[in-house]
Amino acid sequence: MLSSAARHNTHRTDVVVVGAGLAGLSAARQLVDAGVSVTVLEAAPYVGGRMCTDEIDGFRLDRAPQLFPTPCSELRRTPGLGGLALRPLSAGVLLHIGGRNQRFGDARSTRGALNAARALASAARAPLGGALDQARATAFLNRLAATPVDRLLARPELAVSEALHARGVPARTVDGFLRPLLSALLSDPDMSTSSRVAELALRGFVRGRLCLPAGGASAVTELLTAALPPGTVRTGVRAVAASTTSVETAEHGQFACRAVLVATGARAAAELLPGLRLPDFHPVTVLHHTADEPPLGEPALLLDADRRGPVSHTAVVSEADPSRTPPGRVLITSTVLGVDASEPLTALDKAARTQLGELYGASADGWQLLAAHHDTEAVPAMRAPHDLRRPVRVLSGLYVCGDHRETSTARGALASGRRAARAALRDFGLHPAEEPSPLAAAA
């Protein structure tokens, strides 16, 4: 119930954007560049949504794991992100399988995009099966890297586990390599994601590198916020109702406007826009440890194919981005997925330390747990059939965007924000120039 003071406190702007995450800030910048006045309302006391970085004792700790594939045209085409610095992880990944680490992709090689695929055929001790199985897996990844995106999207859509079987990828390769890799890329250890989404992610991995935003995930939203006019973003303002002409807030009155763009997470969007479908979610817990010495002398993404503990993947992120730590300190960030992510922290940390000691070949008993962040709705599920371009226009004057409208990735959030802004501009009669489909750069 609004107070009488709030009911009489009315603000006016062209567009109210509800939510200051990647999608909302991306949309706001598109609208401002077109000459439209914008007010962004954020319920939290900070911007960024899931792209948030906490500062604790000089450490910069992401609340959610954020890996950007490069090249990433979505970053290049988003105004305001030209100054974003990315710190690459080692090419390919380290795979812990059969009790030892195997490299897939050579960080020192200059042969280009298909190193990870070629490494399958030459890995020591044939960890993913015999020569025939490895040849089939290598051929699959090579074909995937060379297949145009539109052809991938035209394929029959299945759960990725079913699609890989149908394409003749050996079961040992799926369980030993592709499952842990897709878990890291899509937060889906059950392999229930749409085959189209998963193949786009694999294609991007084989053709490029995985990177971290320098300084933490919040560097992305900080750049987007800084590119907006002062006063555009208002934090600590909670929207409770939205229509085509106004947004009602809990304690800050009414914001009158010509259009409303809801750019929150999926649950909050469904509460503001009744009838919006609420997806299932993948829960995620992120653990941040510090140690006296780096347990691995490179910034490799280390995947556990043996699955002997709760950690899906881990990395010594300070080796890639020293700006995330105080001088001389080490930061190890590990990700827990699925049912394990909901375990009590004390038990989870104990089990994770045992597993991390095996993965890194060095005891983790003396590591300090800096922070842990658990999110039951971290990643919207993308089960088949999954619409990669869900509608962003509810009706004229009311729009919705977020990672739940495209792919559940930073790229998807940015792209959906741009689509929603362009839909609003068209309804205003401004007719923005047409551009290629974002799916052309989805990988």
Side-chain angles (χ1 to χ4, degrees), residues 140-231:
F140 167 72
L141 290 175
N142 277 322
R143 288 196 304 270
L144 202 59
T147 302
V149 169
D150 57 351
R151 288 184 56 191
L152 287 184
L153 298 179
R155 290 177 172 178
E157 187 179 18
L158 303 168
V160 62
S161 57
E162 298 173 3
L164 292 172
H165 175 73
R167 305 211 201 299
V169 181
R172 189 170 178 181
T173 301
V174 172
D175 287 334
F177 177 56
L178 296 178
R179 183 186 298 273
L181 176 58
L182 286 170
S183 294
L185 298 178
L186 301 173
S187 301
D188 176 20
D190 297 328
M191 301 276 281
S192 60
T193 295
S194 159
S195 56
R196 293 174 181 174
V197 174
E199 289 184 346
L200 286 172
L202 288 173
R203 182 181 185 273
F205 167 78
V206 176
R207 292 169 64 92
R209 293 280 289 272
L210 296 175
C211 299
L212 301 169
S218 65
V220 184
T221 49
E222 288 168 1
L223 283 172
L224 289 172
T225 303
L228 297 172

Side-chain angles (χ1 to χ4, degrees), residues 102-392:
Q102 297 273 359
R103 177 174 298 284
F104 291 85
D106 185 356
R108 297 163 296 177
S109 176
T110 60
R111 288 181 295 170
L114 301 180
N115 293 325
R118 291 167 178 160
L120 282 169
S122 58
R125 297 189 182 181
L128 302 184
L132 181 59
D133 279 355
Q134 292 189 61
R136 287 173 177 168
T138 303
F140 167 72
L141 290 175
N142 277 322
R143 288 196 304 270
L144 202 59
T147 302
V149 169
D150 57 351
R151 288 184 56 191
L152 287 184
L153 298 179
R155 290 177 172 178
E157 187 179 18
L158 303 168
V160 62
S161 57
E162 298 173 3
L164 292 172
H165 175 73
R167 305 211 201 299
V169 181
R172 189 170 178 181
T173 301
V174 172
D175 287 334
F177 177 56
L178 296 178
R179 183 186 298 273
L181 176 58
L182 286 170
S183 294
L185 298 178
L186 301 173
S187 301
D188 176 20
D190 297 328
M191 301 276 281
S192 60
T193 295
S194 159
S195 56
R196 293 174 181 174
V197 174
E199 289 184 346
L200 286 172
L202 288 173
R203 182 181 185 273
F205 167 78
V206 176
R207 292 169 64 92
R209 293 280 289 272
L210 296 175
C211 299
L212 301 169
S218 65
V220 184
T221 49
E222 288 168 1
L223 283 172
L224 289 172
T225 303
L228 297 172
T232 298
V233 180
R234 298 186 55 168
T235 57
V237 181
R238 182 169 65 88
V240 296
S243 70
T244 58
T245 57
S246 68
V247 171
E248 300 285 351
T249 68
E251 298 177 347
H252 296 80
Q254 181 187 82
F255 288 76
C257 54
R258 298 169 59 196
V260 172
L261 196 156
V262 176
T264 64
R267 184 171 298 278
E271 291 172 354
L272 289 172
L273 302 173
L276 207 65
R277 183 181 70 84
L278 187 65
D280 294 329
F281 297 92
H282 298 303
V284 176
T285 293
V286 180
L287 303 173
H288 296 285
H289 291 95
T290 187
D292 293 333
E293 298 290 338
L296 190 67
E298 62 169 311
L301 185 65
L302 177 54
L303 315 178
D304 188 4
D306 290 339
R307 290 182 281 177
R308 296 199 174 183
V311 172
S312 164
H313 51 281
T314 181
V316 186
V317 297
S318 53
E319 292 293 289
D321 184 11
S323 70
R324 297 185 182 218
T325 68
R329 301 299 299 275
V330 176
L331 177 60
I332 304 105
T333 296
S334 308
T335 302
V336 180
L337 304 173
V339 295
D340 290 328
S342 300
E343 289 294 313
L345 179 58
T346 300
L348 180 61
D349 183 42
K350 181 179 179 180
R353 287 172 187 266
T354 300
Q355 181 188 9
L356 290 169
E358 295 176 0
L359 293 178
Y360 285 109
S363 174
D365 291 344
W367 294 3
Q368 176 189 352
L369 180 65
L370 295 167
H373 185 76
H374 174 64
D375 188 346
T376 58
E377 299 182 352
V379 180
M382 297 180 285
R383 298 189 179 96
H386 180 76
D387 187 351
L388 286 161
R389 287 175 64 84
R390 294 182 66 192
V392 293

